[in-house]
Amino acid sequence: MRTIKSIALALALLTGTVLSAATEPVKELNKSCSEQIAELLENPQFQVDAEISAYVTFMLNDDNEIVVLDVETENQQVERFVKARLNYQEIATNLEQGKQYNVPVRIVAAS
């Protein structure tokens, strides 16, 4: 009787261990909004000699597309570049639609 209980206990522990290890694979998490914007702004088509800073004010429309409202920078070429690259690009995020957001942008010279 003792061996039957021992075998049943061992079987229960083995089953519990196997079932707890058999979880669903973790889905890839969405990239943050800043990372997605950084990817969209990679590889500018103009020469960058020094670091250029800008502040981008944007909102999301109903299709989760970026709508650039303002780009605060002294460089007009950077302003056009940011607007061209970001306007109406869809991003995967849980930001609230219709709300304004600000994000700092730094464009650095390629090494």
Side-chain angles (χ1 to χ4, degrees):
M1 188 70 150
R2 185 178 257 188
T3 55
I4 294 175
K5 288 182 181 180
S6 297
I7 293 174
L9 178 63
L11 185 60
L13 289 174
L14 179 65
T15 304
T17 305
V18 169
L19 290 178
S20 68
T23 61
E24 291 184 32
V26 177
K27 294 180 181 178
E28 185 175 321
L29 297 175
N30 288 339
K31 296 180 182 177
S32 75
C33 182
S34 297
E35 290 173 338
Q36 292 179 61
I37 289 174
E39 284 181 3
L40 291 170
L41 295 175
E42 284 181 344
N43 302 321
Q45 301 299 319
F46 56 90
Q47 183 67 31
V48 179
D49 297 325
E51 182 177 304
I52 303 169
S53 296
Y55 287 94
V56 179
T57 303
F58 70 96
M59 62 187 291
L60 296 178
N61 64 12
D62 293 335
D63 298 324
N64 275 346
E65 296 172 337
I66 298 172
V67 178
V68 177
L69 302 174
D70 186 35
V71 179
E72 293 179 29
T73 184
E74 295 177 6
N75 190 325
Q76 294 297 320
Q77 189 175 19
V78 170
E79 182 177 354
R80 287 190 305 269
F81 167 73
V82 169
K83 285 181 179 180
R85 288 280 182 100
L86 293 183
N87 256 336
Y88 300 105
Q89 295 295 317
E90 187 174 342
I91 60 172
T93 184
N94 57 354
L95 295 178
E96 187 177 327
Q97 296 170 345
K99 184 177 177 184
Q100 290 186 10
Y101 296 95
N102 295 320
V103 64
V105 172
R106 282 187 6 227
I107 299 175
V108 294
S111 301

